[in-house]
Amino acid sequence: MIHFALHANASTESLDAPHLVLFPDEDSLPDRYLFDYEIESLDLNSKLVVLNTCESGEGRLYDGEGLFSISRGFVLGGADAVLHTQWPIDDRIGKNMILSFYKALERGESKSKALRKAQRAYLESAYPHFRHPYYWAAYQVLGDDSPLFVPWPVYGSVGGGLLAMVGLWMVLRRRKTAG
């Protein structure tokens, strides 16, 4: 998994390509951006990229090509799935939303179900003014929706089933050789 919590620019109106801002304006590094076309060339091999950034799912629409966005760059760069946002997000709300999302992923939920649970948990605890969809509905899952983790009870039941099958096979094999 890869997680980004920083500023992003969808570049929907400028000539710039969508990019992540890696360093603040005051930094002396000449290349402080990570552009979508640079991300596309990476060999990520990641199950999930979380973009807890503003507008990472937004971009410019090109006829015959589709939407050029930061999240598209990660999918083309090898990510199986990307969690992105459609509009600017509040940092504090985003932090809590993502923590809740990760907890649901750890319990073996699919990515979209984990996001839905995080959004519901947010709505249950938010002040009425902050329940407006602007604060929680910006997040979307793009790509493979399968769970990242399989909870331990599943491992136990699968392992127990395999052990029972091996035991049955051994009993039947002994009967065959003995008889």
Side-chain angles (χ1 to χ4, degrees):
M1 237 171 45
I2 301 170
H3 178 103
F4 286 95
L6 40 80
H7 183 68
N9 187 337
S11 298
T12 55
E13 297 175 15
S14 70
L15 295 177
D16 285 340
H19 57 274
L20 297 172
V21 180
L22 301 176
F23 304 103
D25 286 333
E26 305 84 43
D27 200 292
S28 62
L29 290 174
D31 187 11
R32 59 192 193 94
Y33 305 120
L34 182 59
F35 289 95
D36 65 332
Y37 57 84
E38 294 173 311
I39 297 166
E40 290 173 18
S41 66
L42 301 174
D43 185 19
L44 294 174
N45 193 25
S46 176
K47 297 285 183 196
L48 176 65
V49 173
V50 174
L51 298 172
N52 199 19
T53 65
C54 294
E55 303 175 326
S56 49
E58 283 294 298
R60 189 176 296 137
L61 184 63
Y62 289 94
D63 290 340
E65 293 292 330
L67 186 69
F68 279 44
S69 67
I70 297 167
S71 61
R72 177 184 187 266
F74 279 102
V75 170
L76 293 175
D80 292 346
V82 178
L83 177 70
H84 65 230
T85 61
Q86 291 297 119
W87 55 79
I89 56 170
D90 181 278
D91 289 340
R92 293 165 301 197
I93 293 169
K95 174 187 155 206
N96 293 332
M97 185 85 69
I98 295 301
L99 289 173
S100 185
F101 171 73
Y102 284 151
K103 287 177 185 174
L105 283 178
E106 285 180 335
R107 290 190 300 270
E109 303 290 354
S110 69
K111 295 168 191 87
S112 61
K113 192 170 184 180
L115 176 59
R116 192 167 49 253
K117 285 189 174 194
Q119 290 169 328
R120 285 185 180 158
Y122 169 76
L123 286 171
E124 290 171 4
S125 65
Y127 292 111
H129 171 76
F130 294 105
R131 290 185 187 144
H132 188 279
Y134 173 81
Y135 295 101
W136 57 269
Y139 291 92
Q140 293 180 336
V141 175
L142 172 69
D144 178 21
D145 190 42
S146 63
L148 289 180
F149 307 105
V150 178
W152 282 108
V154 173
Y155 284 126
S157 63
V158 170
L162 287 174
L163 187 59
M165 288 174 52
V166 168
L168 180 62
W169 175 77
M170 289 176 69
V171 167
L172 293 174
R173 189 168 174 228
R174 279 192 186 176
R175 282 186 182 173
K176 219 179 213 184
T177 57

